[in-house]
């Protein structure tokens, strides 16, 4: 069932499940996740342009982005806590 969903179902918009993600940025991410390769960005330059054009881009400095990625890597490396 999960494999079928991955192959055929469109994911929910990230802006619906993550606070602080603008609908504009969510649209860029959704395009990256399109099932059809033809619907995705054809080149990294296109993706970069779309990201730079998003409202969110002005809110981040390069240092903030680097720190965010560092935190994400640390969090993903930590074992999940038992609930």
């Amino acid at each position: 069932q999960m494999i079928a969903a991955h192959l055929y179902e469109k994911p929910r918009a990230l802006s619906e499940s993550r606070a602080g993600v603008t609908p504009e940025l969510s649209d860029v991410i959704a395009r990256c996740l399109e099932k059809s390769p033809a619907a995705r960005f054809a080149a990294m330059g296109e993706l970069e342009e779309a990201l730079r054009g998003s409202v969110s881009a002005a809110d981040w400095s390069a240092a903030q982005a680097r720190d965010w990625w560092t935190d994400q890597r640390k969090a993903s490396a930590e074992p999940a806590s038992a609930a």
Side-chain angles (χ1 to χ4, degrees), residues 40-76:
R40 296 181 210 137
F41 293 100
M44 287 302 295
E46 277 184 53
L47 173 57
E48 181 179 13
E49 185 177 321
L51 288 170
R52 287 188 189 282
S54 79
V55 174
S56 302
D59 297 337
W60 287 67
S61 68
Q64 288 171 310
R66 183 184 59 248
D67 292 346
W68 185 88
W69 278 110
T70 300
D71 291 345
Q72 297 308 305
R73 285 187 195 108
K74 287 179 185 174
S76 66

Side-chain angles (χ1 to χ4, degrees), residues 5-23:
H6 180 72
L7 291 173
Y8 303 110
E9 293 179 20
K10 185 174 182 175
R12 188 172 64 173
L14 189 59
S15 59
E16 293 176 13
S17 60
R18 295 286 300 216
V21 175
T22 65

